Amino acid sequence: MSDERLRRWRLVLGVDEADGTGVSLSRTDAGMDGALDAVYGGDEERRGGLGGSAPVVARWLGELRTHFPASVVSVVQQDAIDRLGLHKLLLEPELLEAVTPDVHLAATLMSLRGALPTKSREAARRVVREVVKDIERRLAERTRAAARGALDRSARTSRPRHNEIDWDRTIRANLRHYQPEHRTVIPERLIGHGRKRRSLAAELILCLDLSGSMATSVVYAGVLGASLASIPALRTRIVAFDTAVVDLTDELGDPVDILFGIQLGGGTDIDRALAYCQTVVTRPSRTVLVLLTDLYEGGSAESMLRRAASLINAGVRLVVLLALSDDGAPGYDHELAAHVAALGAPVFAATPDQFPALVAAALEGRDVGAWAEGEGIPVTRAPG
């Protein structure tokens, strides 16, 4: 076996299992090996490797970033938090200055919000703000553009008055009806300009389940929901719930305020959340309600289904998102999901990259379930 292959096996096996390889690691490889062993080594070594000191952990994180790309740092960092019980150490501002911000860490800080000492809160907000900036850079403008386009399309009329006809769009849409002998287009379909709106074109309610399993989904939804609030023709509302309901709409000016107004990890009462949403719907036929939940209902499932049916029957376009993240297939209540689907609401999980097109389809009044299937997204089926 070549020296390079032995080296790789030595790094894969770690400290204890690698004695038989006879490979001596370089200083760089030893640093890489130690950073990983601190998380993935044996229990005794892992406890001793990180200890209870924030400076030790900060140095370990620095070593990790030296030897691995950001994508690997994010994974190992989250594993360290989960495997080593680093939640208490996250309360130290020295550690918060050292960590690499990502959506999982933001969710962890949100779950610890109530326990953060005063000295750590500003550092925690800086970490969350970096995550917010990254999400906004990648997705916010795409989401706003998709929503604006959907609102414009839904506002156009195919029966415009003469002074409302959009001649440019009408001609382009009817070019196949050009009559050479008359040198003119005979339009089969007239397209009007978007109606001048004295009132809102649509309303969007994002209803967010704060259970721990939905943490990263809540981060994405909170940031993207805030980005939609800047569209004048769209009234955006964010409602968060566990066993209680809180309306975060007044915080939409700053996504960081939204995220720090959320306490993750409580129980789940979807029925109560939908009951609140019913009270804020003003124009059912122009309202899209996105319910972000894994459907593990802690309240009455029967009452929740009746509430969902009432909203749908009133004309509200209800979409149930089981997750809004890149974390893979979500866990959810399959039986309740099937019953919700039977009411006519599409039920599926989406990635953050799919969210702009999802919002556009819903605002435009298209079949969101059919859109999802067209994107290759598995959609829950009604029973039987």
Side-chain angles (χ1 to χ4, degrees), residues 187-302:
E188 181 181 80
R189 181 169 64 95
L190 299 175
I191 299 175
H193 291 286
R195 296 187 183 99
K196 294 181 180 179
R197 305 183 189 96
R198 293 182 181 274
S199 59
L200 293 167
E203 300 185 27
L204 173 67
I205 302 173
L206 297 178
C207 189
L208 313 181
D209 181 346
L210 300 183
S211 56
S213 60
M214 304 299 296
T216 58
S217 297
V218 168
V219 174
Y220 280 114
V223 176
L224 296 178
S227 74
L228 290 168
S230 64
I231 301 176
L234 179 66
R235 175 182 290 151
T236 301
R237 183 180 295 273
I238 295 183
V239 176
F241 69 94
D242 44 29
T243 54
V245 180
V246 59
D247 193 326
L248 297 169
T249 305
D250 290 341
E251 307 295 336
L252 286 178
D254 186 349
V256 178
D257 288 338
I258 292 175
L259 297 183
F260 271 95
I262 287 172
Q263 181 67 63
L264 291 166
T268 306
D269 193 336
I270 305 171
D271 181 43
R272 175 173 288 187
L274 291 180
Y276 176 79
C277 290
Q278 277 187 309
T279 68
V280 298
V281 171
T282 58
R283 295 192 300 164
S285 64
R286 297 297 295 156
T287 299
V288 173
L289 171 54
V290 178
L291 175 62
L292 183 64
T293 179
D294 53 16
L295 290 174
Y296 287 115
E297 173 66 300
S300 168
E302 293 77 10

Side-chain angles (χ1 to χ4, degrees), residues 96-109:
L96 291 175
E97 295 291 347
V99 295
T100 298
D102 65 25
V103 68
H104 297 284
L105 181 58
T108 299
L109 291 173

